[in-house]
Amino acid sequence: SAKGAGKHRIARYDPVMTLPGARDLALRTPLQRAIGAGEIGVVYQPIIDLRSGAPVAFEALARWRYDGEDIPPDVFVPMAARADLLPALTAHVLEVAAAQLARWSVEVGHRSLRMSVNISPAIIADPTFPDAVAGVISRYALAPEQLVLEITEDSLLADLTVARAVAGRLRSLGAGLALDDFGTGYSSLVHLRQIPLQYLKIDRGFTGDLDTNPVTERFMRALLALGRDLGLDVVVEGVERVEQADVLRQLGCRYAQGYLFARPGPAPTRLPTAELLRA
Ligand code: C2E
Ligand code: MG
Ligand code: MG
Ligand code: MG
C-alpha cells in the first residue's frame, strides 16, 4: 500500500535510522572536545624479543573513555578521520608516546628502546607530518630510530606518490617505518616495494591457529622468509598462547607481540625488565 511504501521511505531516509551515522554525529563533538583537551589516553604493549623475553619496543595505542564507556580505536579513529581530527589525534598520541619513551630511556640509561605509533592513511599522505616527527625527536632528545611509525597497506592506495615522499622524509630523519597488519590489506607487493620499510608486522589472522593448523604454519613460514629476504625485522602479532610462541621460535621468528606477553596497559612507572634491557 501507499501507506506502507511511505513508511518504508521514512525509515530509509530518516538519519536516526542509519545507526552508524547517528552514532558518528552524536560522538563527533565529544571526540573533538576529548582530543582538544588531551583526554585521549595512551596505553602501551611491549614487542618482545623471543630469544630473551625482553621488550625491544612498545606500541602506543590510543584509548577513549566517554560517558562511562570505552570506545575502541577501531571505532573512534575512523570517526576522527571523517571529522578531520586525525592530525590533532596523531599529534597528541605522538607527543604522549615520545614523552614516555624519553622517560624510559632515562630510566634504562640508553636509547635503544623503541616506540611504535600508529598512523592512518591520511597521515602518511600529509606532507607536514615529518616536521611533527622531527619536532618530538628534538624536543625529547630521542635517537630518531627510537621512533617507529606503523602504517597499513591501505595507506598506499590513495596517493602513492605523496606517501612515498612522506615515507622517504621520515626515513631520512632516521625514524623507522613498519608495515602493520601485513596480509590483510588491499595493497600490492608492487606498491610495498616502493616504500622504505624496516619492519613487517604480520597480522594476527596468521597467528590464531598457528599451533594447530599446518597450513597456517606454512603461511607463517613463507611470510617470515619474505620478511627476512627483504631485510626486514618481522614482528608477529596476536600471540596469546605458549604453543604459538614455541612454533614461532622453531620457525626462527625473532619478535612477537600479544596477550601472552602483556596486554596493552598504562606505562609502568618502572620498567619491569629494565635489568634485561641493560644486559
Ligand atoms: P594495531 O595497530 O594492529 O594494534 C594491535 C591491536 O591488537 C590492538 O588493539 C591490541 O590491543 C590488539 N592486540 C594485541 N595483542 C593481542 C592479542 O594477543 N590478541 C588479540 N586478539 N588482540 C591483540 P586496539 O588497541 O583495540 O587497536 C586497534 C587498532 O586501532 C590498532 O591496530 C590500530 O590500527 C588502531 N589504533 C590504535 N591506536 C591508534 C592511534 O593512536 N592512531 C591510529 N591512527 N590508529 C590507532
Ligand atoms: Mg599497530
Ligand atoms: Mg597490527
Ligand atoms: Mg590492527
Side-chain angles (χ1 to χ4, degrees), residues 31-42 63-64 88 92-93 96:
L31 178 60
Q32 182 161 19
R33 192 179 303 126
I35 293 171
E39 285 169 14
I40 299 294
V42 181
R63 292 291 179 266
W64 182 32
H92 170 72
V93 174
V96 173

Side-chain angles (χ1 to χ4, degrees), residues 40-43 45-46 59-63 71-78 86 89-90 92-94 116-121 123 150 152 180-182 201 203-204 207 236-241 244 257-265:
I40 299 294
V42 181
V43 293
Q45 186 182 36
E59 178 172 6
L61 294 157
R63 292 291 179 266
I71 319 273
D74 285 330
V75 171
F76 74 78
V77 172
L86 271 182
L89 173 68
T90 308
H92 170 72
V93 174
L94 188 63
S116 266
V117 174
N118 292 286
I119 61 170
S120 297
I123 298 296
E150 296 196 358
T152 56
D180 203 358
D181 303 343
F182 183 59
K201 298 188 74 172
D203 188 75
R204 66 168 179 268
T207 314
V236 173
E237 306 188 87
V239 178
E240 298 180 353
R241 292 187 299 279
Q244 295 164 328
Q257 182 177 0
Y259 296 164
L260 173 66
F261 310 106
R263 288 186 177 252

